[in-house]
Amino acid sequence: MAQGISLENALNLPFVAAEVMDTLVGSIGLVTVSPFTALTETWLLARKQSDGV
């Protein structure tokens, strides 16, 4: 790599490691929230229809 830094050492730099973790946590959050939102909306619509509104 550039300036003689190996890939392993570059990924262990604090600012790089923080960005990698932010990306992973954000991705996990999006994958988790999407199905939860769909299930919640389905439940609300089913409840609304059963009330006859």
Side-chain angles (χ1 to χ4, degrees):
M1 283 193 65
Q3 301 176 2
I5 299 174
S6 69
L7 181 60
E8 183 178 337
N9 287 339
L11 290 176
N12 283 326
L13 292 173
F15 56 89
V16 176
E19 289 298 323
V20 170
M21 287 304 298
D22 285 346
T23 302
L24 289 174
V25 169
S27 298
I28 291 169
L30 286 174
V31 168
T32 304
V33 167
S34 296
F36 178 73
T37 303
L39 290 173
T40 303
E41 185 62 26
T42 302
W43 178 73
L44 289 172
L45 285 173
R47 193 176 100 184
K48 184 176 181 180
Q49 289 177 355
S50 69
D51 290 343
V53 175

